[in-house]
Every structure is written in C-alpha cells, then in structure tokens.
Amino acid sequence: MRALARLALATCVVAAPLTAVVAAHAADEPTPVTVLTSDFEDNTVQGWTGRSAETLAVSTTVAHGGTHSLAVTGRTATWNGPSLSVLDTFEKGTSYTISAWVRLADGSDNARLSVERRTSGTATYETVVGNTAVNSSGWVNLSGHYTLSADVDFLTVYVETASTTGSLYIDDVTASYVPALPIQTDIPSVKDVVTEFPVGAAITGAEITTEHGDLLAKHFNSVTPGNALKWDATEPTENVFSYTQADPLIAFAKAHGMKVRGHTLVWHNQTPAWVFQDATGAAMTATAENKALLLARLENHIRNVAAHYGDTIGTWDVANEVIDESQSDGMRRSTWYDITGLDYLRTAFAVAREVAPTAKLCINDYNTNVAAKRDALYNLVVKLKAEGVPIDCVGHQMHINVSWPSISDTEAMLKKFEGIGVEQQITEMDVSIYTSSGETFPAPPADRLLSQAYMYRDMFALFRKYRADLTSVTLWGLADDNTWLDTYPVARKDAPLLFDTRLQAKSAYWGVVDPSRIGGTSSPSASVSPSTSASPGAGTCAVTYRVTGSWTGGFQGEVKIANSGTAVISGWKLGWQFTGGQVVAQLWNGSVTQSGSAVTVTNASWNGTIAAGGSASVGFLGSWTGSNPVPAAFTVNGTACTVL
Ligand code: XIL
C-alpha cells in the first residue's frame, strides 16, 4: 500500500532512463525515425566538439560497432566532454530517444548524458541519463528520453563524468523519435461528459505543443503546472524570481478558457537548499532568528509568486503534504515545521489571501483516504480555521492504484470534510497499474488495464455523486508517455492515466466517459440495436485521406471513413491503390495487407462498427520515393466511397 511504501520524492526528474520505459503497446509501436547517427566510421568527428579545450579525434583503439570511435583526451574538468549541436535536429515537443555508448580509457567512474539548451544566453542543463557506472573494460550504453520544451538558440547533447577527468570514448550515438499519432477527434471530450466540476490535467513544458496540446485542449478545462510553480522553479535563488517555465503553460490555459490550479507555495520537496540556510549559510536550527528569517522568506516568496499571477490562478495549493499521521500531533517534521511550528501555515495562508484575495486556498495531501491521515488533516484544518486561518479547500491528491483504496474509504474521506466550511478538490489523481513496489511489467497487462478502467469508473461515479462538495478533479498527467510514476517509487514503466503513450484513449478513458465501452468489446454504436444493422457493404461512405507528416523517404498518413449512409456498417474493409509506389510499413487502429499497389485495411476489434453518421480512422507510416501522390479512389466493403 502506498501509505506504507511512500518514499522521499525525487527532485525534478527531467527524463526517465530508457531501461524503465518500455512501450505500453509494444506490438503497435511503429518504427522509430532516426534523426541522428554518429558512428565515426568515415574517419571524421562528425560535427562533435569539446565543451572546453579538450581534444576530440577519431580512434581505432576501441570501437563499439565497426572499427572507429571518438576519443576525447585532455579533459581538465569533469564537465569537459564531447558535445554535438542538435539545434537543427530536434523539434520542440517531440520526445527523442537518445542513445550513446561510452567507455573510459582508464579506471572507472560514472558518466552522464545531458542536454544543454540556451535561450538568449541563459543556459539550462537537463539530465537525459543520470550517473551510470562506466569503466575501461567495456562499452556502456546511456539511453534515455528527451523532449525540448522551450524555444532555444543553442542546443547540444553531451557526455560528462562525475568525478574523474581521464580520457573517454563514445561511439554509435543515435537519436530517434516515434512519430506522434493524431489525437482521436471522434470521441467525446471528458469535460463535456463530466460537467459537475472542472476536469484538469497536470502538465509539464512540452505538453502544450502539437498533439499533446490538442489532447489537453480537447478533454480538459483545468490545468495544473506539475513542476513549474514549485519553489525550485520560481525562486531558485533568493529573491530572483523566474516564471519562464510556468508562464507559457498558464498562457495556454488562459487562451483556451481553462482554469488554473497553482501548485504549490509551501512544500518540503523541490525547495532550494538556500531557503533553509541561516545567515551564515549553515543549516537552520530552531532559533527565533531563523524562524523570523524563514517566515520572511516564505512571505516574500508568496508575495511575489501569487502576485505575478493575480486572479489568473483560481486555486492555490498553498501548503502541500504537511501531515504525518505517525506523529503524535499529526504534523510532518519538515524543516518548515521544525523551525516555525504551525506558523509557516498561518503565514502562508494569510499572505496568499492578502495577495490573491479571489483565489481558493487549499491544503493538499496524499493518502487522505487513510483514516488516520484523514483525521489528522481534518484536526489541523478545523484548528486553523477556528483561529481564522483562511483555508478554503482541502485537496485530496488521490495517487491510487488498480486495487486500492476502496470506494467506501474514499467516500468516508469526502464525507469527513463536509460541514466544516471547505470545498474539496481531487488534485493529483492517477491509478497505478502496480499494487506493490516489487512489481514490474514490460507492458501493461490487459487485466490491470481493465481493473484500472473500473477504478476510474467507480471513482468518477463517486466524485459526481459528491458534486456538492467537489469543485475540481485533476489528473496528475495528460497521457501515459509522461507520468511521474515512471520513476516513483521505483523506475519502471507505469500507465496510470486515461490516454496511452501514443495519446489514444484507453479503457480508463471509457471508464470515465462511457463505462459500457470498457474493454473495447463494445463500440460507439453499441446502443444501436442489432436489428438496425445492415450487412457489410450496405452503407455509403466518405473517405478523407491526409498526409500528416512527411520526411525524406517516409510519411505518415491518416484515413478516415465516415458512414454517410443511414445503416450501420458492421465490420469493414477499406481499399485503395497507391500510384507512386508507396508502401505501408505500419498501421494502427486496424490491420493492413498490401499486394503491389493495392492496400486493404481491415477494422480493429473495437472500431468495426460505424454508426450512421459516425466515423473510424486509421493511421499509418509509409515509404515513398520520388513523389507521394494521394490515392484517387477508396472502397469500403467493395463499394466506392466519396472522396473528401
Ligand atoms: C511530482 C512531479 O510530477 C515530478 O515531475 C517531480 O519529479 C516530483 O514531483 N505529490 C505532489 C506533486 O504534490 O507535486 C508531485 O509531483 C507528485 C506527488
């Protein structure tokens, strides 16, 4: 149970190690597109340079593949190492897998793979693969994911070491991406189905661009910056405030008429070390001076951050995770508490109310469905409210899993806070497919995805029943390609959200939107009685064919079949002829055969039925040479369709 297993949170994880990231639907994954390969086999350094004055030269002393590698000698600092510009290679919002083989000339150390990006001269360093043991006796692979989230004028991939400055080799460096799938536009928007309260998603930098931005805008009407408003992002250095991470997210929310939850003003994690250092730079001890200093820093922080956003942020998680039910007074022994007692909470809420008078002010915590934790939080809220501390709202994080907690415990949680003058919000819901820290699955098992769908179904039914208490429900992430659970509590691929790693609706989505479709066995027209079904081929159809992406030799396409007749299409075969020698390499949402230029696509198990007025879409990756003409004619079940 997470209540017992919860570990200290890692600070800002930028990228997950590849070893932990196994595709959720490995069988459906299309071939990655490789955008960078450095194998040094042509006896040149292939654009690599040193980060300082070190020497780079092609070497045949050792090689990972072939006979050549890149030797880096003359390093004088651990951060010296080989670096390659990817400014013209990487696009914002695309998730790249970067892989490099590393070997030392002598001894052993740890090596890291990172990205340096600069915007108007300001550098940011992002870890792609953290410290990994390397030595001189063999090659070690560093492989991880990176998504550029900002506009940049400088972007490099580089390798460095942790403690020694000896010579090193790199070889067979690659970067690739899996082309994004267009989002499904022919499914209901979550926010249109669940209308009792705003439904939100926590997001990070890249998730307002391209397909992720489309998915966010289609389904959600509230947004929580997942990391961008935390203290380490907004005030990394004392009294130096930065809103570069959060501003674009909040601007997107504003532009799309979405509500914004501000997360978070006071927390024991992701708070820079300086906050808790005394005037001499030593760790604070519980003295009156330190208490005054810490509260002054807190006040200054909230005055600046909350004022920057004014009434754009409708709700603030003022305080996060302050309860420890194992303490006799129920309070977490954070530095905040050790130095100030409850005064940090009194100050935080009072200042937030003053600076953001219209914002709802929340106290937010996890495991509030656990009776002891729930009661400790309740006691604190009742006590502080009695003193006049302006707490408007209790936030329940709801980091749960496929078999925990029970609906009745969750209902007891909601009931507990009724009648004490607070709103309640679900602030960080996700449903892990794992039930213990010991489990790891290479891909999400079907039965777990089903249990997850039922958990979402039952929890959302409960939330909707408690609409008088709940003023917001937010999920901690947008889709399974980016979830904090990939690295917490251990590194393994999790799949806790409504959309899969390729942004397509899961059974979990149907659990929220239309439980009759959980498991994909029923279809959009399941409510249409079989007697109205027509035999295959009887419908009339309209087909839209679009090239959604194209690069040298390859392209991505989408074909949509609309049922323009009055009868249901039950099972379909879609046919067309390519005229430019194109070949379909991979296809999703259906299965494909190609014989010469003739392509036949058969429906998947879950999209075979197309109601009158309904549609089904498939996407594919293809190859082309010379030209890539659009097919002129399409058939569905042998009948010619209108081409749109
Ligand atoms: C998580 C973020 O999602 C991660 O990216 C980060 O590395 C750690 O923090 N409870 C909270 C959130 O209140 O702020 C945490 O967010 C998840 C648990």
Side-chain angles (χ1 to χ4, degrees), residues 263-285:
H263 177 86
T264 176
L265 295 171
V266 198
W267 193 23
H268 58 279
N269 276 323
Q270 289 175 262
T271 303
W274 66 260
V275 176
F276 304 120
Q277 286 164 0
D278 67 16
T280 73
M284 281 183 175
T285 52

Side-chain angles (χ1 to χ4, degrees), residues 596-621:
S597 58
V599 178
T600 307
V601 179
T602 309
N603 62 269
S605 59
W606 49 269
N607 64 359
T609 307
I610 311 176
S615 66
S617 296
V618 299
F620 64 92
L621 286 178

Side-chain angles (χ1 to χ4, degrees), residues 13 227 230 263 267 270 320-321 397 399 428 476 484:
V13 176
N227 284 311
K230 290 174 180 171
H263 177 86
W267 193 23
Q270 289 175 262
N320 197 31
E321 304 184 343
Q397 290 187 4
H399 293 292
E428 305 183 16
W476 203 247
W484 75 299

Side-chain angles (χ1 to χ4, degrees), residues 435-570:
T435 58
S436 78
S437 294
E439 291 182 326
T440 305
F441 303 128
D447 61 330
R448 295 291 171 101
L449 293 177
L450 216 48
S451 306
Q452 180 184 62
Y454 292 127
M455 184 59 99
Y456 269 111
R457 176 193 67 182
D458 297 346
M459 286 295 174
F460 266 77
L462 178 72
F463 300 156
R464 296 172 83 170
K465 179 171 150 196
Y466 279 80
R467 59 181 161 276
D469 299 298
L470 283 170
T471 51
S472 176
V473 173
T474 290
L475 304 181
W476 203 247
L478 179 62
D480 289 344
D481 64 328
N482 183 17
T483 161
W484 75 299
L485 295 176
D486 283 353
T487 52
Y488 181 89
V490 295
R492 59 186 172 188
K493 182 65 199 148
D494 209 331
L497 298 162
L498 304 185
F499 301 96
D500 68 17
T501 56
R502 308 209 63 208
L503 314 188
Q504 308 301 295
K506 296 163 61 185
S507 277
Y509 159 89
W510 292 111
V512 173
V513 165
D514 178 0
S516 76
R517 295 184 62 187
I518 289 175
T521 46
S522 52
S523 66
S525 57
S527 56
V528 178
S529 86
S531 62
T532 64
S533 295
S535 59
T540 45
C541 48
V543 167
T544 317
Y545 177 103
R546 279 201 310 141
V547 173
T548 52
S550 186
W551 53 93
T552 312
F555 71 108
Q556 183 173 336
E558 186 190 27
V559 191
K560 179 175 166 186
I561 307 169
N563 181 353
S564 49
T566 52
V568 173
I569 297 175
S570 300

Side-chain angles (χ1 to χ4, degrees), residues 42-201:
D42 64 356
N43 208 24
T44 76
V45 298
Q46 298 183 341
W48 288 78
T49 58
R51 301 190 72 217
S52 181
E54 62 274 46
T55 304
L56 271 62
V58 175
S59 167
T60 52
T61 309
V62 288
H64 171 258
T67 49
H68 295 65
S69 66
L70 182 71
V72 184
T73 55
R75 298 172 67 233
T76 56
T78 57
W79 57 267
N80 290 181
S83 169
L84 180 72
S85 175
V86 287
L87 185 61
D88 297 329
T89 312
F90 284 11
E91 276 180 30
K92 193 165 103 173
T94 297
S95 172
Y96 294 95
T97 300
I98 310 174
S99 166
W101 291 86
V102 181
R103 179 175 181 149
L104 300 186
D106 294 293
S108 58
D109 196 354
N110 281 303
R112 291 191 290 269
L113 178 68
S114 308
V115 165
E116 177 178 350
R117 63 174 163 91
R118 292 185 206 154
T119 305
S120 312
T122 304
T124 304
Y125 304 91
E126 294 171 309
T127 307
V128 180
V129 184
N131 281 344
T132 307
V134 288
N135 57 41
S136 56
S137 57
W139 290 95
V140 171
N141 185 235
L142 302 187
S143 184
H145 295 296
Y146 179 74
T147 305
L148 175 65
S149 61
D151 291 321
V152 289
D153 41 46
F154 177 99
L155 189 68
T156 60
V157 173
Y158 64 92
V159 173
E160 64 188 324
T161 53
S163 38
T164 59
T165 57
S167 300
L168 59 84
Y169 299 95
I170 62 166
D171 200 2
D172 292 334
V173 182
T174 59
S176 60
Y177 71 95
V178 173
L181 291 184
I183 69 158
Q184 294 153 296
T185 50
D186 51 358
I187 57 174
S189 300
V190 175
K191 63 180 182 187
D192 293 343
V193 175
V194 181
T195 53
E196 289 82 354
F197 31 73
V199 186

